Amino acid sequence: MTNVVALNSRDHRHLRVQASASARYGDSQNFVAVIVNEFPFLVVQYPILFSKDSETGAFYCGAMLGFDKGENLFLDERKGFEGYRPLNLQRGPFYTAGGDVAIDLDHPRIDGGGQELFTENGEPSAYLNRVIALFRELRPGLDATRGFIETVVRLRIVEPIDISATFDDGTKRKLEGLYTIDHEALQRLPDDAVVDLFRRGYLQLIYLMIASLKQIPALAQRKNARLLEATGALT
């Protein structure tokens, strides 16, 4: 359940939000929707893939953070979040309401402690200003991401990818329902289509997605280490 209301200094002057990364606050996700603005930060850690919305069937871009549902291999409750934290995890209990910021009053991040949203004078706090800046990046990023996805789908350069891994504890994982760029189909595109991709900045995004596939083995190694640690095989 959610209780989303427009944020204002009158009603929410003394509200505080837990901003730290934690499973109990919603960071335990193995696949997180991302925007194209994030690709340069994501590529050094995560596979960047396409998936389909379960309700609409529409493609969206996401970062793979784990192999199992609810598994974030970059989250350590003792140490926090390792590396770049996707914007959709950073946004916490906040939403947009037209041009304003809204907040879910029933979100677990609102537990009485954490970061203040407003000063005693009713001005936005430093934390809330960072949230507002985040949404300034997120809003146009959603439109840019939508345009990128529509283009690569129209050009038919998206293909399914099955990710399989076997771990040292004897277990296996096989992920389906994920998609990536079809490199061969990309190479077959006519020159004018490639030039258009380049001029729109999409060609760089495409190659960032292709390069990010190298993070799949690294993610498997991270998973393997977690499994061995859980079984006591690592000291």
Side-chain angles (χ1 to χ4, degrees):
M1 296 294 293
T2 59
N3 181 17
V4 179
V5 299
L7 188 65
N8 66 82
S9 60
R10 182 188 67 252
D11 298 324
H12 310 122
R13 176 75 60 90
H14 302 295
L15 205 63
R16 289 179 174 267
V17 171
Q18 295 285 358
S20 59
S22 175
R24 66 183 181 274
Y25 297 146
D27 284 89
S28 54
Q29 300 182 41
N30 70 313
F31 196 76
V32 178
V34 298
I35 57 175
V36 292
N37 314 47
E38 299 181 89
F39 281 19
F41 307 105
L42 297 165
V43 68
V44 299
Q45 283 183 286
Y46 314 112
I48 308 170
L49 303 163
F50 299 108
S51 189
K52 288 186 176 181
D53 186 282
S54 59
E55 295 183 359
T56 66
F59 279 105
Y60 68 95
C61 295
M64 180 179 168
L65 283 67
F67 286 85
D68 296 327
K69 185 177 181 180
E71 176 184 66
N72 185 338
L73 294 170
F74 299 87
L75 176 64
D76 186 320
E77 294 292 343
R78 298 164 297 177
K79 301 177 182 178
F81 202 96
E82 182 181 341
Y84 177 76
R85 189 173 169 211
L87 293 179
N88 265 320
L89 295 183
Q90 293 184 46
R91 66 187 291 176
F94 299 101
Y95 295 83
T96 56
D100 299 322
V101 174
I103 188 167
D104 177 10
L105 295 178
D106 290 340
H107 197 281
R109 287 191 178 277
I110 303 174
D111 62 2
Q115 301 284 339
E116 64 178 6
L117 300 182
F118 297 97
T119 66
E120 288 300 321
N121 295 326
E123 297 297 322
S125 67
Y127 168 67
L128 182 55
N129 278 324
R130 290 196 296 271
V131 171
I132 293 171
L134 183 153
F135 277 108
R136 287 198 188 107
E137 180 177 0
L138 193 57
R139 288 191 195 103
L142 290 171
D143 293 334
T145 304
R146 190 178 301 111
F148 170 65
I149 293 172
E150 289 174 352
T151 299
V152 296
V153 170
R154 175 175 53 81
L155 292 174
R156 298 184 179 181
I157 55 174
V158 176
E159 67 172 354
I161 178 172
D162 290 337
I163 299 174
S164 301
T166 301
F167 300 101
D168 288 348
D169 69 345
T171 61
K172 298 180 180 181
R173 302 291 190 280
K174 182 177 176 62
L175 303 183
E176 299 177 336
L178 298 173
Y179 302 78
T180 187
I181 295 294
D182 183 339
H183 194 263
E184 293 183 0
L186 176 65
Q187 291 182 317
R188 293 195 296 268
L189 288 178
D191 291 350
D192 59 339
V194 176
V195 170
D196 182 62
L197 289 173
F198 171 76
R199 288 179 174 169
R200 297 172 70 179
Y202 292 167
L203 198 58
Q204 180 187 19
L205 298 174
I206 285 170
Y207 280 110
L208 285 174
M209 291 193 73
I210 292 172
S212 78
L213 298 180
K214 295 180 180 179
Q215 300 301 338
I216 295 175
L219 194 63
Q221 290 177 359
R222 188 179 288 264
K223 169 73 171 178
N224 200 55
R226 288 278 183 100
L227 289 171
L228 294 178
E229 183 179 14
T231 60
L234 292 181
T235 56

